[in-house]
Amino acid sequence: MHGGYIQIENKEIITHLKALGLDIGATPEDIRASFRRLARELHPDVTGSKSDFRFKQITGAYNALKSLTAEELEALAQSDPAYAYIRAEREREEAARRAAEKIDAIIDRYERDIKDYYTNKPSEDRTGIDAITFRLKSRNPKVIGVALKHSGHLVNRVEFRKAITELLKRPEIDEASAEAASVLPFDDMTRKLLALDVAGNSQNFPAGLIISLIGNDTDVMESFLLHVKPENTAVILRRWPSGKSMNMNVLRTLLANDDANILVPLLSAMKANFPGAAMDNKKRLAELEHHYSAAVRAWAKKLV
């Protein structure tokens, strides 16, 4: 790579790198690893003859590149104006990786510490509940997950209920936090108070969390029915207690909706559990006999 041949050689090297799926800035280790990976995929013993050309291409590229030193590859990279951007991008990625590893290490250490803490300290300890509730305010899902994982003996404390209420009222709830919250061992009173507090945000809840919070309490179910996504209406109504009626105002609000995802499970629940409510809603049921959904029409006719 000297004198008047540098541009020609540079172009050939770049061509060989691309044949191996690499860019300028690749190291000898990158070249070996990429060739071995491609060779395993493209070897005639694996693919037959259909990859002959490609296998010869990567073999030729590797043979041309394998004698280059790290210094020569670095000199090539520095001769290309685009390499400054590529190198900066790689440095950013490396910095992000190191930062993520550092965060993971901190979380792992915290998980060990909090596990040791609750093994050796009584649950009534003021510091313990403060440590959990403080971490539930975090915006990092991993921190929240660790706090929830180790909060089982505290879940019925008023301080914890207030903290998890704030967590579940956030505009967005990550799936891991929702799943961890859904298996917490709340007693019936704590579950009901929490559920009523967060019902207004239940349109953001996955089905598993909804099921966990509603229990078999119709007051909670009614509150959730007014807010959940239409597709989660059936999740609640399938658990409606047999023979229990529904608050008439809630029922009429739901009946006024035209979404079949709401009306089909609602009419089915009416038929099974409180058919007497049909008499008070005959006009709406008659309208639903002309609904766009055949399932809604069928259930309306059964109730009229």
Side-chain angles (χ1 to χ4, degrees):
M1 296 175 65
H2 300 284
Y5 296 101
I6 187 167
Q7 291 303 321
I8 297 174
E9 289 186 8
N10 280 1
K11 290 179 180 179
E12 290 175 353
I13 292 171
I14 291 170
T15 299
H16 292 318
L17 287 171
K18 291 187 180 299
L20 294 174
L22 300 170
D23 290 314
I24 57 170
T27 65
E29 291 75 18
D30 294 333
I31 291 169
R32 283 194 294 273
S34 184
F35 171 69
R36 289 173 181 173
R37 177 179 58 80
L38 291 171
R40 284 194 296 269
E41 296 174 2
L42 301 171
H43 196 281
D45 289 347
V46 177
T47 63
S49 60
K50 66 179 182 180
S51 298
D52 275 354
F53 173 77
R54 183 76 176 105
F55 184 74
K56 291 176 182 177
Q57 184 185 39
I58 65 167
T59 302
Y62 179 65
N63 287 333
L65 297 173
K66 66 181 181 180
S67 61
L68 293 177
T69 65
E71 291 75 16
E72 288 172 320
L73 289 167
E74 178 66 17
L76 165 67
Q78 292 182 0
S79 72
D80 191 301
Y83 181 59
Y85 170 79
I86 294 172
R87 186 169 187 174
E89 188 65 24
R90 287 181 177 174
E91 289 174 353
R92 282 193 293 271
E93 291 175 357
E94 178 62 19
R97 184 189 63 78
R98 289 197 299 269
E101 288 179 350
K102 184 176 180 181
I103 291 172
D104 287 342
I106 292 170
I107 292 171
D108 289 343
R109 187 173 69 249
Y110 165 62
E111 185 167 12
R112 290 193 301 271
D113 290 348
I114 200 169
K115 183 177 181 180
D116 292 342
Y117 180 89
Y118 287 118
T119 299
N120 300 316
K121 296 287 185 179
S123 61
E124 292 76 18
D125 191 291
R126 178 74 255 169
T127 305
I129 188 67
D130 288 347
I132 292 291
T133 56
F134 174 76
R135 283 163 176 81
L136 288 179
K137 297 176 183 179
S138 172
R139 292 290 170 176
N140 187 313
K142 291 185 178 181
V143 172
I144 294 170
V146 171
L148 291 174
K149 181 178 177 181
H150 294 285
S151 61
H153 62 292
L154 299 170
V155 297
N156 296 308
R157 295 277 293 268
V158 173
E159 303 96 318
F160 181 85
R161 177 168 58 81
K162 289 180 179 179
I164 200 167
T165 295
E166 293 306 312
L167 171 65
L168 296 181
K169 281 185 174 181
R170 291 181 183 178
E172 294 182 359
I173 302 167
D174 68 278
E175 292 183 10
S177 297
E179 182 178 352
S182 70
V183 296
L184 293 174
F186 297 115
D187 61 32
D188 290 342
M189 181 55 69
T190 300
R191 177 183 286 104
K192 179 169 183 173
L193 292 173
L194 173 62
L196 291 173
D197 280 344
V198 301
N201 201 40
S202 56
Q203 71 273 10
N204 295 320
F205 296 170
L209 181 57
I210 292 171
I211 292 168
S212 170
L213 291 175
I214 61 174
N216 60 0
D217 191 298
T218 55
D219 290 340
V220 175
M221 291 182 177
E222 288 169 350
S223 295
F224 271 61
L225 284 169
L226 295 174
H227 297 96
V228 295
K229 293 177 181 177
E231 56 265 32
N232 281 329
T233 300
V235 170
I236 299 172
L237 289 173
R238 280 198 294 267
R239 290 162 177 78
W240 193 270
S242 178
K244 286 276 190 177
S245 60
M246 182 180 288
N247 178 284
M248 192 59 67
N249 290 330
V250 174
L251 177 59
R252 286 174 177 162
T253 298
L254 296 173
L255 282 173
N257 200 296
D258 278 329
D259 194 320
N261 288 313
I262 295 174
L263 291 171
V264 171
L266 177 63
L267 297 175
S268 174
M270 282 181 66
K271 181 68 175 175
N273 297 305
F274 41 96
M279 292 298 296
D280 296 320
N281 294 278
K282 288 182 66 174
K283 181 179 178 181
R284 178 55 178 160
L285 291 172
E287 293 172 353
L288 293 177
E289 289 188 68
H290 306 285
H291 194 270
Y292 68 85
S293 166
V296 172
R297 296 196 300 269
W299 278 110
K301 289 176 181 178
K302 290 180 181 181
L303 283 161
V304 170

